[in-house]
Amino acid sequence: MRFTILLLAITAALCFNVSGCRDPEVTTYRVAKETPPAASAAAKGPAAAGPATMANTPVPTADGESLTWTAPAHWQAKPATAMRKGSYAVPTDGGPPADLSITAFPGDVGGEPANINRWRGQIQLSPASDADLTTAITRFENSGLTFAVVDFENGQQRVLGAIIPFRGSTWFVKLTGPATELTKEKPAFLTFLKTVKPPSTP
Amino acid sequence: MNPAVRSVRDFFVSLGLTVVLLALSLILVFASTLAQVDLGIYAVQEEFYRSFIAIWHVGGIFIPLPGGYLVGGLLLINLLSAHIYRLKLEWRKAGIQLTHSGLIVLLLGELFTGLWQEDFQMTISEGDTKNYSESFRLYELAVIDTTDPKMDEVVAIPDSKLAGAALVQHPKMPFRVATKAYFPNTTLARRDAAALSPAAAAVPVATRGIGSSVAVTPLPLTYKMNEMNVPSAVVELIGDEGSLGSWLVSPHLGAPQTLSHAGRTWRLELRIARAYKPFSLQLLKVTHDVYVGTDLPKNFSSRIKLTTPDGHDDREVLIYMNNPLRYGGYTFFQYQMDSSRGQTGLQVVRNPSWLLPYIACIMMTFGLLLQFGLSLRAFIAKRRTTAKPAVV
């Protein structure tokens, strides 16, 4: 009898207390002053929430010759990382800066549709069919390179992207940020793409 | 014994319950594995294993399942009851008793880990010193009294309290904090930049600070491993003589906001939740070796200087893969590395019950060895008595 009561008491205690124990409480403490950070890690966006994880780093990026480019003066260069060949913060009016990344990987990395749909997924858009993508891609050639340019938005976020095959690798240029700000930035992005050249091109 | 009580006892003691619970565990593992595709590992752990009831979304259908705590808790009770009522304390059963006790310790270990484990990270740049780690996904509203020129007095309000829309009051704050709106994942833009979306227009506008010129757009929660939800909240501060105004707080905002009240200066910051340590770590050097001629990582290591304010400890430590720093109840694992930026990411884990799984495994190993040993001895003894000497 006593044992049954004990069992029921344990069950009840578990049910009522387990979730309670895990709720964080208000805490107070005194710390030596620190300089307030200019921007917190999260403010720089999910990609900058921390350095590239080790799980990511073994992915081989394309080696060999690198494309060259000239970034607009108002873009702020960020240090390249193990994954990024180039990285820029594109200032916006008051909001968090838009993020421009230049990456390169060997092969075709799954092809254009898979990569474009991956970008669509990053701003919560459903995958587009191949037929839709054919009309969505703007193509042009410059300095001996072919550019496949896309532009998607979900009302708040926008992605301007370009896929550039180059000597057995595929280069990706992606600008992500607030939709309205990128509307203003698009001409600068397209001008920037025109500066992307193979290394030997003068 | 009262028949009703006996039936309850029989229910908990029965082997049938064990089988049903093990079957339910299989279903739970199957469902949670599939759910991980959409929810990611952390949400699955919380919703399926660290809960009493799990809801599995299949298409548009919601299937309720018993959660990990319910199945594990009942298994624990079942095992304890069986121990007391069915298994007699005798030398012959010592192996089974020990094995079952190991299983009980294992189940309790997982419960305590779920309750007490802290899993944070610490990102340090070369030359920088840090004495706090940051959560992977929790945020806090830090209300900081910055009046003292040397020290800051911090009241940290967890985001779960803000989300609950509770009125937060604390003796260290001369005002109360009331949540007017809280969104667990958001993006910000300038308010005058364009016509507001309906979702953004529905968010109350802050009356003080930079928030009055910022539009908040709520976003769906993300469960991806490489993305973080970034919350925003509009909080109203209420002093003795009424409202002091409302502020928009968000990690998206570049700089923290300040206010003066009752002769003191305060700073408001919604930031990643911090856990301060009674010691500090300075990153001296990061090393990222690759195999020659490839980009494949060979070794990540961080040379750290560990110091305590009282000067008791002041030493250099090398942290690398599979060689964490264990100090003050915390374990610092080499977790991330960005050598181009001279930055290291350490995973900081505190788990007071970390020894329990090891103890459980040792108990179960010895229990099984003992049980098999005893059975073997009995078997050999039986063979000896039954084997008749050959008659020549």
Side-chain angles (χ1 to χ4, degrees):
Chain A
M1 178 65 192
R2 265 185 298 165
F3 179 64
T4 313
I5 293 170
L6 182 70
L7 281 183
L8 291 174
I10 290 173
T11 317
L14 277 173
C15 288
F16 291 111
N17 286 333
V18 163
S19 49
C21 289
R22 306 180 66 218
D23 273 349
E25 289 299 322
V26 176
T27 53
T28 63
Y29 45 85
R30 273 169 74 79
V31 287
K33 260 194 192 327
E34 59 176 295
T35 318
S40 71
K44 293 170 199 157
T53 62
M54 277 205 260
N56 288 342
T57 40
V59 177
T61 56
D63 40 22
E65 286 186 300
S66 174
L67 294 176
T68 63
W69 56 82
T70 311
H74 67 286
W75 290 7
Q76 291 151 11
K78 295 190 279 189
T81 65
M83 298 297 291
R84 292 186 175 201
K85 302 283 183 187
S87 188
Y88 294 89
V90 179
T92 57
D93 285 346
D99 177 57
L100 185 124
S101 66
I102 304 171
T103 52
F105 301 94
D108 69 352
V109 207
E112 276 180 5
N115 284 292
I116 293 169
N117 280 326
R118 182 169 56 81
W119 285 344
R120 288 177 63 87
Q122 286 168 359
I123 56 167
Q124 291 87 41
L125 291 175
S126 54
S129 66
D130 287 1
D132 288 343
L133 287 180
T134 313
T135 53
I137 299 172
T138 312
R139 295 180 191 279
F140 68 87
E141 287 192 17
N142 193 53
S143 307
L145 299 169
T146 56
F147 294 75
V149 182
V150 288
D151 180 356
F152 298 109
E153 67 164 292
N154 66 2
Q156 288 101 39
Q157 290 289 104
R158 188 165 185 162
V159 170
L160 295 173
I163 299 176
I164 312 153
F166 173 61
R167 293 185 190 165
S169 305
T170 308
W171 286 65
F172 299 91
V173 182
K174 186 180 69 156
L175 177 59
T176 319
T180 48
E181 297 298 327
L182 291 205
T183 310
K184 289 182 239 162
E185 202 59 42
K186 190 170 180 180
F189 177 76
L190 293 174
T191 312
F192 167 72
L193 289 182
K194 300 248 163 82
T195 70
V196 177
K197 293 183 175 76
S200 53
T201 313
Chain B
M1 187 185 277
N2 182 323
V5 174
R6 178 177 296 169
S7 65
V8 171
R9 187 202 69 182
D10 289 347
F11 170 74
F12 280 121
V13 173
S14 79
L15 204 57
L17 179 64
T18 316
V19 174
V20 169
L21 289 172
L22 289 178
L24 286 172
S25 321
L26 287 178
I27 295 169
L28 190 65
V29 170
F30 176 74
S32 61
T33 308
L34 292 185
Q36 206 177 315
V37 176
D38 298 320
L39 298 181
I41 191 160
Y42 174 72
V44 160
Q45 267 181 8
E46 290 297 306
E47 291 184 17
F48 282 77
Y49 295 101
R50 290 174 182 165
S51 65
F52 286 96
I53 300 290
I55 305 291
W56 185 26
H57 300 232
V58 188
I61 307 164
F62 299 92
I63 302 174
L65 294 172
Y69 278 157
L70 190 59
V71 175
L74 286 174
L75 264 176
L76 187 61
I77 292 169
N78 182 233
L79 205 54
L80 281 168
S81 318
H83 246 260
I84 293 165
Y85 280 99
R86 275 203 278 115
L87 294 176
K88 301 278 179 299
L89 262 183
E90 53 188 38
W91 174 244
R92 209 161 47 84
K93 298 276 179 66
I96 293 178
Q97 293 276 7
L98 195 57
T99 310
H100 277 191
S101 303
L103 200 55
I104 290 168
V105 172
L106 194 68
L107 284 167
L108 285 174
E110 164 50 26
L111 177 69
F112 295 149
T113 300
L115 292 178
W116 297 329
Q117 176 166 287
E118 279 176 38
D119 194 358
F120 278 46
Q121 64 178 327
M122 193 186 257
T123 307
I124 326 175
S125 298
E126 274 177 344
D128 284 359
T129 305
K130 261 198 183 170
N131 63 344
Y132 63 86
S133 54
E134 292 176 296
S135 170
F136 282 99
R137 58 208 139 245
L138 300 177
Y139 290 85
E140 65 187 13
L141 175 65
V143 182
I144 307 168
D145 181 349
T146 60
T147 318
D148 188 321
K150 287 188 179 161
M151 301 295 282
D152 282 345
E153 186 89 41
V154 183
V155 179
I157 304 167
D159 62 343
S160 55
K161 292 259 183 255
L162 296 181
L167 194 64
V168 179
Q169 209 166 0
H170 195 277
K172 293 267 172 77
M173 294 191 299
F175 40 73
R176 287 163 290 161
V177 178
T179 310
K180 292 184 79 179
Y182 175 85
F183 305 98
N185 193 21
T186 52
T187 175
L188 303 185
R190 266 181 78 96
R191 182 158 276 275
D192 56 357
L196 292 175
S197 66
V203 177
V205 183
T207 58
R208 302 273 305 270
I210 194 173
S212 52
S213 59
V214 176
V216 180
T217 306
L219 296 176
L221 284 171
T222 175
Y223 296 106
K224 291 180 187 161
M225 291 294 287
N226 58 349
E227 290 183 3
M228 277 182 91
N229 291 305
V230 183
S232 295
V234 179
V235 292
E236 184 176 14
L237 304 187
I238 305 165
D240 291 338
E241 289 161 13
S243 173
L244 306 174
S246 59
W247 279 261
L248 170 71
V249 286
S250 172
H252 276 310
L253 292 174
Q257 304 171 87
T258 55
L259 73 138
S260 293
H261 177 67
R264 305 193 76 80
T265 311
W266 301 82
R267 195 166 82 221
L268 286 179
E269 250 182 278
L270 184 60
R271 65 187 187 191
I272 296 172
R274 292 181 180 183
Y276 278 86
K277 312 276 178 272
F279 50 88
S280 55
L281 300 183
Q282 183 187 17
L283 178 62
L284 301 175
K285 187 171 171 33
V286 294
T287 312
H288 174 190
D289 300 326
V290 292
Y291 286 99
V292 178
T294 71
D295 281 342
L296 296 175
K298 184 179 177 187
N299 178 43
F300 296 93
S301 64
S302 307
R303 184 162 287 283
I304 299 279
K305 190 176 182 197
L306 166 73
T307 45
T308 49
D310 59 5
H312 185 266
D313 272 307
D314 186 355
R315 59 189 165 99
E316 286 189 18
V317 189
L318 188 66
I319 301 175
Y320 53 93
M321 288 170 78
N322 301 327
N323 188 61
L325 161 68
R326 291 184 199 276
Y327 186 79
Y330 296 91
T331 310
F332 295 81
F333 295 95
Q334 182 66 62
Y335 164 63
Q336 295 176 319
M337 167 83 51
D338 191 340
S339 52
S340 63
R341 284 198 264 184
Q343 213 173 50
T344 193
L346 304 174
Q347 186 179 11
V348 187
V349 179
R350 182 176 166 274
N351 181 6
S353 57
W354 69 280
L355 270 176
L356 287 186
Y358 295 97
I359 295 170
C361 288
I362 291 169
M363 286 169 75
M364 288 193 283
T365 307
F366 279 109
L368 289 171
L369 283 175
L370 186 60
Q371 193 58 36
F372 287 133
L374 289 173
S375 299
L376 186 64
R377 200 181 67 169
F379 174 74
I380 292 170
K382 198 174 165 193
R383 281 273 299 249
R384 278 201 185 128
T385 51
T386 52
K388 291 176 184 165
V391 180
V392 184

